[in-house]
């Protein structure tokens, strides 16, 4: 998580005019939620004198996310555990107790759309603030101006949050903001403790930086140093406007878990993040309110991926009765369910007829077929749960809001998933997914706006 690359131009010199603010998208949903009570910012009147009248502090989280990235193209939209990096940053900010508003500063329409889908506001950053030499401070100042112009409110605390730090937690964001809200500091940042011995190459050979090479104390006898993670910075907003820099006045650090520190600068970092996500992310599963449709792969998802052949070459597969129970419950709850399969097989069509759900099979481009089905049904792909098990499901994973892998899925599919079942394919994984959405008894009431169940149909791509 080292300091992230600059994402806005150099801040104007003291006394220079600030960039003209641009209109922010009006707050909606969690990003514009009413501020929760928090400790007063430094310099405010005591709580006993103002509790009845003073508004809660406004804590604005700004996420710079420009479109240009040379190391990893479209980096800020790269998915980790099925969620774009910008979306992960937004969700972490929305989960942090003191944060009242979240704004993504970007020059890229696709990033802006992803930010809004995750629940943030989006501020368009002009080209002069989006070049390779731009600074993060300039982007934050511009977003601060745009937010205050749109909301008619002044921020008390402003946060700089980097979406290239994928394992930043809401608790770390909250603790960093609290350092400012309680008056303990004017600026704060996350840092990872280290007891490592640092060295520097010199003309005289290697020399110790933070130690005497002739004296090597034990780890427990040394005070830690701290590595700036680049994940989140908090500043008192008035002081930030004055100094135009993220460090001024009294600075506090918030110690973080070194195991979670990773900043994505190149493709290798992104690959590591995807591999680590199943280990570091808290398990997340969708609920009924998060999903408008369920799309299921067949082989390896509703079966164990094995095929039995008789002497005449006829294929047989095994399905799990619990999956059928779960699909029936989803239908009763008013959720559209679709089977989408690459294989053109009479077994797939027969299973769909048995379950009374539509099927698209013999599909070479599953993502294209899924997109067309969503358009025909009037369903937002970001509200679709897609369950799969192998690499031909990955294009669909990148299209939907809830990519789900069964536990027996290929490693690359598990790494790309937003959620992973505990049950293997063909052993009740679909039943498990239905329980996520409907509860263990599969008895969630039917949606008020539920449409009649779509008759089963079989479609083969030409």
């Amino acid at each position: 998580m080292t300091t992230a690359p600059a994402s806005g131009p150099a801040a104007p010199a003291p006394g220079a005019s600030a960039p003209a603010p641009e209109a922010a998208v009006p707050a909606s949903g969690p990003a514009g939620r009413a501020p929760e009570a928090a400790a007063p910012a430094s310099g405010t009147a005591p709580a006993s004198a103002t509790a009845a009248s003073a508004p809660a502090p406004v804590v604005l989280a700004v996420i710079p996310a420009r479109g240009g990235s040379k190391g990893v193209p479209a980096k800020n939209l790269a998915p980790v555990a099925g969620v774009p990096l910008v979306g992960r940053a937004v969700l972490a900010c929305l989960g942090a107790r003191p944060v009242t508003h979240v704004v993504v500063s970007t020059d890229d329409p696709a990033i802006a759309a992803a930010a809004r889908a995750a629940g943030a506001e989006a501020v368009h950053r002009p080209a002069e603030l989006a070049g390779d030499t731009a600074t993060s401070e300039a982007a934050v100042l511009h977003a601060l101006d745009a937010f205050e112009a749109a909301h008619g409110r002044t921020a008390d605390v402003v946060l700089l949050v980097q979406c290239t730090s994928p394992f930043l937690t809401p608790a770390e964001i909250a603790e960093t903001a609290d350092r400012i809200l309680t008056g303990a500091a004017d600026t704060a940042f996350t840092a990872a403790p280290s007891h490592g011995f640092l060295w520097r190459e010199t003309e005289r050979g290697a020399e110790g930086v933070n130690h005497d090479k002739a004296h090597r104390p034990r780890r427990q006898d040394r005070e830690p140093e701290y590595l700036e993670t680049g994940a989140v910075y908090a500043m008192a907003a008035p002081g930030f406007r004055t100094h135009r820099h993220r460090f001024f006045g009294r600075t506090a650090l918030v110690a973080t878990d070194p195991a979670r520190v990773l900043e994505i600068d190149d493709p290798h970092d992104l690959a590591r993040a995807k591999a680590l996500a199943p280990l570091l992310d808290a398990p997340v599963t969708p609920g009924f309110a998060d999903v408008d449709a369920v799309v299921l792969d067949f082989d390896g998802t509703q079966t164990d991926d094995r095929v039995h052949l008789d002497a005449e070459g006829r294929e047989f597969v095994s399905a799990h009765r619990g999956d059928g129970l779960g699909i029936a419950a989803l239908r009763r709850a008013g959720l559209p369910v679709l089977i989408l399969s690459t294989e053109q097989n009479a077994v797939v069509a027969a299973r769909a007829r048995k379950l009374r759900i539509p099927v698209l099979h013999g599909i070479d481009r599953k993502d294209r077929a899924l997109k067309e089905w969503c358009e025909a049904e009037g369903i937002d792909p970001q509200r679709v749960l897609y369950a799969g098990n192998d690499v031909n499901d990955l294009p669909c994973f990148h299209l939907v809001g809830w990519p789900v892998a069964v536990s027996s899925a290929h490693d690359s599919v598990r790494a790309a998933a937003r959620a992973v079942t505990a049950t293997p394919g063909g052993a009740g994984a679909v039943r498990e997914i239905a329980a996520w959405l409907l509860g263990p008894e599969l008895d969630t009431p039917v949606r008020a706006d539920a449409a009649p169940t779509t008759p089963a149909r079989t479609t083969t791509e030409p």
Side-chain angles (χ1 to χ4, degrees), residues 42 53 60 111 124 128 138 151-152 176 232-233 246 254 280 287 300 318 327 349 368 383 447:
S42 177
S53 59
L60 172 66
I111 292 176
H124 175 70
E128 61 270 21
H151 288 262
T176 308
V232 59
Y233 303 84
R246 71 188 76 177
V254 173
L280 297 179
S318 297
I327 289 172
R368 184 175 68 187
R383 301 274 303 169
R447 293 178 181 224

Side-chain angles (χ1 to χ4, degrees), residues 222-459:
R222 299 178 59 221
E223 290 295 324
E225 279 95 18
Y226 290 86
L227 173 68
E228 185 179 332
T229 69
V232 59
Y233 303 84
M235 297 81 71
F240 180 63
R241 283 197 175 281
T242 299
H243 295 277
R244 311 179 79 80
H245 193 271
R246 71 188 76 177
F247 297 114
F248 56 86
R250 178 178 174 83
T251 298
L253 60 82
V254 173
T256 64
D257 180 359
R260 302 183 66 85
V261 177
L262 173 63
E263 185 184 12
I264 296 177
D265 285 327
D266 60 41
H268 300 292
D269 297 328
L270 182 59
R272 287 168 55 209
K274 291 182 176 182
L276 287 170
L279 302 175
L280 297 179
D281 283 350
V284 177
T285 57
F288 189 61
D290 301 316
V291 172
D292 289 340
V294 174
V295 179
L296 304 169
D297 173 47
F298 189 73
D299 293 314
T301 301
Q302 299 179 64
T303 76
D304 61 6
D305 220 16
R306 295 187 299 171
V307 177
H308 303 276
L309 300 173
D310 67 9
E312 297 180 3
R314 289 175 297 191
E315 296 185 358
F316 301 86
V317 298
S318 297
H320 196 278
R321 289 195 180 278
D323 287 348
L325 184 69
I327 289 172
L330 293 172
R331 288 177 52 250
R332 288 196 304 271
L335 278 176
V337 183
L338 170 72
I339 294 176
L340 182 57
S341 176
T342 302
E343 289 288 323
Q344 183 176 349
N345 195 318
V347 173
V348 182
R351 182 61 174 164
R353 286 194 299 271
K354 170 76 173 178
L355 298 173
R356 297 172 57 201
I357 58 175
V359 58
L360 300 173
H361 66 144
I363 304 296
D364 291 330
R365 283 284 308 276
K366 295 175 77 171
D367 57 333
R368 184 175 68 187
L370 176 56
K371 184 176 181 181
E372 291 173 352
W373 180 80
C374 287
E375 291 173 350
E377 299 291 331
I379 297 171
D380 180 358
Q382 288 299 306
R383 301 274 303 169
V384 170
L385 184 154
Y386 180 95
N389 77 302
D390 216 329
V391 294
N392 61 342
D393 295 308
L394 290 175
C396 291
F397 271 33
H398 299 153
L399 179 65
V400 302
W402 280 99
V404 173
V406 296
S407 67
S408 51
H410 188 273
D411 288 347
S412 63
V413 178
R414 289 170 54 89
R418 189 171 180 181
V420 179
T421 66
T423 311
V430 177
R431 169 64 172 80
E432 180 182 340
I433 291 168
W436 293 349
L437 303 180
L438 305 177
E441 303 300 324
L442 303 179
D443 58 1
T444 297
V446 176
R447 293 178 181 224
D449 60 349
T453 302
T454 305
R457 55 190 169 90
T458 301
T459 304

Side-chain angles (χ1 to χ4, degrees), residues 89-110:
V90 169
L91 294 172
C93 290
L94 293 175
R97 172 189 42 77
V99 174
T100 59
H101 297 80
V102 182
V103 166
V104 172
S105 168
T106 185
D107 60 330
D108 188 304

Side-chain angles (χ1 to χ4, degrees), residues 166-196:
F167 302 117
L168 175 65
T169 68
E172 291 167 338
I173 296 171
E175 190 174 353
T176 308
D178 281 341
R179 292 290 196 276
I180 315 304
L181 289 167
T182 60
D186 301 296
T187 60
F189 66 100
T190 50
S194 170
H195 289 83

